[in-house]
Amino acid sequence: MSGALPSGLRRAIELFSRLPGVGDKTAARFAMHLLSGDRALARALGEALLDLDAAVVTCERCGYFADASEGRATCAICADPRRDDRVLCVVARVQDLLGFERSGAMRGRYFVLHKLLSPLDGVSPADLPMQALVARVADGVEEVIVATPPTVDGEATALYLARELRPSGARVTRLASGVPHGGDLEFADQITLGRALEGRRAIE
Amino acid sequence: MSGALPSGLRRAIELFSRLPGVGDKTAARFAMHLLSGDRALARALGEALLDLDAAVVTCERCGYFADASEGRATCAICADPRRDDRVLCVVARVQDLLGFERSGAMRGRYFVLHKLLSPLDGVSPADLPMQALVARVADGVEEVIVATPPTVDGEATALYLARELRPSGARVTRLASGVPHGGDLEFADQITLGRALEGRRAIE
């Protein structure tokens, strides 16, 4: 069957299917939509993706994204003078940073690791940007909030970071773990309930 | 928050979210994946999409896709001499054509409407490629299998096509409707069960 597909179409489907969570069928649906319905979108998206690599650079200070089209090497968050320089929130992924930004609860700066320790995926301590993080913490940071996810890899990374940052003298904290807001205790798993008990706080 | 996103990134997310079934969060995940992990994929996909519009043209005979990079104006299926010219299968979308090709059960030719009659979406009979279809049927077709989907719009389109094609003298047939292979009768809806009864056949 696939022999009947024009080669340009086959290639677009193959590349679409390399996006996260996109299988062959979804990739084909994307390509068909562009060809049958919206060829202008194909051109616009093509240009935007070619532009993406050039226009968006990794912030040299925190690992988030900076707007190269405005000639910046540091991101809007690092450039914001109203942020608290004493608090540094370390996240695994840019998406996590954006989650904190949406919450509005984080007034400090960020540092994006872009990866977590993972023996299965072959990510060892040497693959983490430790030198940059240590230098960043030495620059007046008093508290490092390790906001890696509450998974095996996330916890291992948090423990490793805490140990490596001990000589810096900064306080290293971890996100609270417990039942989520609006969650149902009946359906919470045992580890989550155990942590929620462990981390219980006095009602003031 | 979105003010903190570089403009090139915002634009890529906005365009990704115009793909079928892709919301803002998925679009952001695609863009983040390209930026954080696979910038080569961003460039390759960008080039493939720019190429797609030029390399893939609509087959002038059936509405499927032809490979313009090979200088063709008709598709591989129309060009295949082993196909039965007397049977024409009319489908709504290219995806439906590919489904029939996967099944291997269709040995005739195809005609892709690219749309269905839909009062709600403002698609009227004048929007269907009737002139091209009538001319196609006049070219030696003995049976037209109307394989539009078993939905309200699909059924309305099938009835309309049958009426318009009556003067051609070709036999106009419709796909059988009934319980799907491997389906559970207990969970079949009443219309499907009714049609399965209506269309029952003698066991030979």
Side-chain angles (χ1 to χ4, degrees):
Chain A
M1 187 279 298
S2 62
L5 285 179
S7 61
L9 178 55
R10 259 209 316 278
R11 177 152 173 75
I13 293 174
E14 196 269 315
L15 291 170
F16 266 133
S17 72
R18 279 157 60 182
L19 290 173
V22 176
D24 287 346
K25 285 206 170 175
T26 305
R29 192 147 56 98
F30 289 169
M32 296 298 169
H33 175 80
L34 295 177
L35 279 179
S36 302
D38 203 346
R39 281 173 178 252
L41 178 57
R43 284 189 299 272
L45 186 56
E47 277 159 18
L49 292 182
L50 286 181
D51 187 50
L52 193 63
D53 185 39
V56 182
V57 296
T58 301
C59 171
E60 56 189 24
R61 194 165 160 77
C62 75
Y64 179 50
F65 300 130
D67 204 330
S69 65
E70 296 176 10
R72 290 208 190 135
T74 52
C75 71
I77 296 174
C78 283
D80 186 347
R82 291 163 307 177
R83 294 275 178 159
D84 187 344
D85 279 314
R86 294 165 302 178
V87 180
L88 187 73
C89 181
V90 179
V91 294
R93 307 178 310 158
V94 169
Q95 290 97 308
D96 302 332
L97 178 157
L98 294 175
F100 279 110
E101 285 300 284
R102 272 194 297 273
S103 79
M106 175 67 199
R107 296 309 305 159
R109 312 275 182 187
Y110 294 95
F111 189 89
V112 187
L113 295 172
H114 288 292
K115 54 189 70 172
L116 292 172
L117 288 182
S118 172
L120 283 179
D121 295 336
V123 181
S124 72
D127 298 314
L128 294 179
M130 288 312 296
Q131 232 180 329
L133 176 59
V134 168
R136 183 77 185 70
V137 171
D139 193 14
V141 172
E142 293 173 13
E143 177 177 1
V144 178
I145 304 174
V146 181
T148 52
T151 59
V152 172
D153 290 350
E155 301 286 1
T157 307
L159 289 177
Y160 175 74
L161 293 186
R163 207 183 60 199
E164 292 296 306
L165 292 174
R166 202 167 296 148
S168 74
R171 196 172 149 230
V172 180
T173 57
R174 183 96 181 87
L175 285 185
S177 184
V179 286
H181 175 72
D184 195 323
L185 291 191
E186 184 182 350
F187 302 119
D189 65 283
Q190 51 197 18
I191 295 180
T192 299
L193 279 182
R195 287 188 181 168
L197 271 178
E198 227 175 80
R200 66 190 182 278
R201 294 165 58 173
I203 302 172
E204 277 149 25
Chain B
M1 186 279 299
S2 62
L5 286 180
S7 61
L9 178 56
R10 258 207 316 280
R11 176 152 174 75
I13 292 175
E14 196 269 314
L15 291 170
F16 266 133
S17 72
R18 280 157 60 183
L19 290 173
V22 176
D24 286 347
K25 284 206 172 176
T26 305
R29 193 149 54 99
F30 289 169
M32 294 299 168
H33 174 80
L34 294 177
L35 279 178
S36 301
D38 204 345
R39 280 172 178 251
L41 177 58
R43 284 189 300 271
L45 186 56
E47 276 158 20
L49 292 182
L50 286 181
D51 186 51
L52 192 62
D53 185 39
V56 182
V57 297
T58 302
C59 172
E60 56 188 25
R61 193 165 162 79
C62 75
Y64 179 50
F65 300 130
D67 203 332
S69 66
E70 295 175 9
R72 292 212 188 130
T74 52
C75 71
I77 296 175
C78 284
D80 186 345
R82 291 163 306 176
R83 293 277 179 158
D84 187 344
D85 279 315
R86 294 165 302 176
V87 180
L88 187 72
C89 180
V90 179
V91 294
R93 306 178 311 160
V94 168
Q95 290 96 308
D96 303 332
L97 178 157
L98 294 175
F100 280 110
E101 285 300 285
R102 269 193 298 272
S103 79
M106 174 68 198
R107 296 309 305 161
R109 312 272 183 188
Y110 294 95
F111 189 90
V112 187
L113 295 172
H114 286 294
K115 54 189 71 171
L116 291 172
L117 289 181
S118 172
L120 283 179
D121 294 337
V123 181
S124 71
D127 298 316
L128 294 180
M130 288 312 295
Q131 233 179 329
L133 178 57
V134 169
R136 185 74 186 73
V137 171
D139 193 12
V141 172
E142 294 173 12
E143 177 177 0
V144 178
I145 304 174
V146 181
T148 54
T151 59
V152 172
D153 290 350
E155 301 285 2
T157 306
L159 289 176
Y160 175 74
L161 292 187
R163 207 183 60 200
E164 293 294 305
L165 292 175
R166 202 167 297 148
S168 74
R171 193 170 154 236
V172 180
T173 57
R174 182 98 181 87
L175 284 185
S177 186
V179 285
H181 175 73
D184 195 323
L185 291 189
E186 184 183 349
F187 303 120
D189 66 283
Q190 51 197 18
I191 295 181
T192 299
L193 278 183
R195 288 190 179 164
L197 271 179
E198 229 174 77
R200 66 190 181 278
R201 293 166 59 174
I203 301 172
E204 278 149 25

